[in-house]
Each structure stands twice: as C-alpha cells, then as structure tokens.
Amino acid sequence: MPSIENVNVYGLDESIYRSAYPMFKQAPTRDEFLATVEEIRTAREAGEMDNPHLKRAIKLANAQGGGHNQYLSGITVTFDMTISNKAWVEAERYRFLTFISSMSSMHRAAFFAIGESCNPATSREAIAAAEALQNIYNEIDGSADPAGKKAAYLDLLYSVPAGFELMAGMITNYRCLRNIYEQRRNHRLPDWHVVCDWIETLPMAGELITPALHTR
C-alpha cells in the first residue's frame, strides 16, 4: 500500500522569519535572527497565529500571483515514500521533488516478491506474467548463455506491472508540496490521496499549503 514514513521538516521557523526580508532596511544580526526565530517557534507551537510573523507568512503563502510564497521553498521536507510505478511517473514531473535514493527494479527485479508488492488494482494476469518471466530469468545459466540471460532480464524489466510499488527517499519543500496538493488532491490514483492526506499532517500545512484548494 502507498505510504510515507521517516518524515523530517527543516527550516520552518527560519523561513517564516525570512519572509519579511523584502521589507528589511538592513540585515539582522545573528542574535536578532536567533531570537526572532525562537519567538516564532514558541508562538507557532502555542498556536498563537496572531503573532505578526506568522500572520505575515500566512498572508504571503496565500497571496495570488507575484511569487509572494517563494519563502516556502526554504521549508525543506525529507521522507521515504512508497507509491506505484504509475504514480512515480507522474511524481517525476515535479522539478523540486527530488530523489535522495530509491529501491531499484533495474538492480533487483530478479529478487522482488512481485505479487506481494503490487497494489490491489493490479491485474492478477499481469502479476503472473511478470513472475513467470522472473522465474525464466533466474533459471538461465548466465555463464552458459549470457545473451539469453541479458534478454530475459529485459523481458522482466519491461513487464513489471504499473501497480508495482517501490520506496524512495525524497527531499522537497513546502512550495512544491503546495503545488502537488492543489493538483493531486482529487486525482484518480489512490496513491495521490495518500500523499495529500500526509501533506495535511505537516506543521502549519493548514495555513501554508492546503488553502490552495480549501479556499476555492
């Protein structure tokens, strides 16, 4: 099943402070920066959304046009995501949704438990065909028939079902997640429903990310 685990969020309070930079007359000192970031963190954790820094950040995150939500790019999120091959093809369209490392069908297709790793919508016939090709590959003696072994592996690789699920470690930011949420919240693939449900759980997602759709 699609899942997202091992989530870490970095730079939230720092980026909220930095959203004020366009109006600065001079750079803050290190002590000023640290003190203000701590003020923001304390207010955020207490749910005090009337804090001026939080109010500004929320307003800018939801302003229409002009790139006012650019500061969201500084809020970095790392996580491990498991979704289907079909969903991965769509995920790769997002320039700032970047792979850290991933499971690899290129390297491990001969050893995957294909049937166990496919989502329920995957055709049983497709799974059986891929498993049969996996068995054929594993039975070929590569030293005796290297060309046949190579060809059999390609047959297997190109036959792994679209419903096969792989995990990858990813890094992205709140601005990209906002785009994903807006575009995928009501998507046909259930993988994206899991992703969007997870996005809603992130710190201040309700103020900075999900209004992209909820306010329409």
Side-chain angles (χ1 to χ4, degrees), residues 158-204:
Y158 286 124
S159 300
V160 174
F164 185 82
E165 296 177 337
L166 287 169
M167 180 194 71
M170 308 298 292
I171 182 168
T172 190
N173 59 66
Y174 269 33
R175 195 179 190 196
C176 182
L177 290 175
R178 186 180 173 99
N179 290 336
I180 290 172
Y181 189 88
E182 181 175 12
Q183 295 168 9
R184 306 289 177 175
R185 174 70 275 186
N186 298 311
H187 197 274
R188 182 174 294 178
L189 290 184
D191 306 66
W192 289 115
H193 299 172
V194 172
V195 172
C196 290
D197 287 347
W198 163 70
I199 289 173
E200 291 177 357
T201 70
L202 293 171
M204 288 194 69

Side-chain angles (χ1 to χ4, degrees), residues 103-193:
M103 296 173 63
S104 173
S105 57
M106 182 62 68
H107 293 299
R108 305 299 291 175
F111 307 102
F112 286 141
I114 296 175
E116 296 176 11
S117 300
C118 288
N119 65 37
T122 309
S123 161
R124 296 299 99 187
E125 291 80 5
I127 293 173
E131 290 175 335
L133 291 171
Q134 187 182 60
N135 291 333
I136 291 171
Y137 170 81
N138 287 325
E139 290 172 359
I140 296 174
D141 182 349
S143 60
D145 184 10
K149 188 82 168 177
K150 181 178 180 180
Y153 201 67
L154 290 177
D155 289 343
L156 171 58
L157 280 175
Y158 286 124
S159 300
V160 174
F164 185 82
E165 296 177 337
L166 287 169
M167 180 194 71
M170 308 298 292
I171 182 168
T172 190
N173 59 66
Y174 269 33
R175 195 179 190 196
C176 182
L177 290 175
R178 186 180 173 99
N179 290 336
I180 290 172
Y181 189 88
E182 181 175 12
Q183 295 168 9
R184 306 289 177 175
R185 174 70 275 186
N186 298 311
H187 197 274
R188 182 174 294 178
L189 290 184
D191 306 66
W192 289 115
H193 299 172

Side-chain angles (χ1 to χ4, degrees), residues 30-171:
R30 176 64 174 168
D31 287 344
E32 288 171 341
F33 180 86
L34 293 176
T36 307
V37 167
E38 183 59 29
E39 174 194 337
I40 293 168
R41 179 178 294 109
T42 300
R44 176 177 59 80
E45 292 177 351
E48 297 172 355
M49 294 302 158
D50 58 345
N51 173 276
H53 295 288
L54 295 176
K55 288 176 66 175
R56 177 191 64 251
I58 294 169
K59 180 179 179 180
L60 291 174
N62 296 288
Q64 297 297 313
H68 299 293
N69 65 1
Q70 172 63 28
Y71 79 92
L72 295 176
S73 299
I75 307 171
T76 303
V77 187
T78 62
F79 53 98
D80 293 334
M81 180 162 68
T82 301
I83 54 177
S84 68
N85 277 334
K86 177 62 177 173
W88 276 122
V89 171
E90 297 180 349
E92 289 169 2
R93 298 177 181 179
Y94 293 100
R95 180 179 178 186
F96 296 104
L97 178 65
T98 305
F99 286 84
I100 299 171
S101 185
S102 70
M103 296 173 63
S104 173
S105 57
M106 182 62 68
H107 293 299
R108 305 299 291 175
F111 307 102
F112 286 141
I114 296 175
E116 296 176 11
S117 300
C118 288
N119 65 37
T122 309
S123 161
R124 296 299 99 187
E125 291 80 5
I127 293 173
E131 290 175 335
L133 291 171
Q134 187 182 60
N135 291 333
I136 291 171
Y137 170 81
N138 287 325
E139 290 172 359
I140 296 174
D141 182 349
S143 60
D145 184 10
K149 188 82 168 177
K150 181 178 180 180
Y153 201 67
L154 290 177
D155 289 343
L156 171 58
L157 280 175
Y158 286 124
S159 300
V160 174
F164 185 82
E165 296 177 337
L166 287 169
M167 180 194 71
M170 308 298 292
I171 182 168

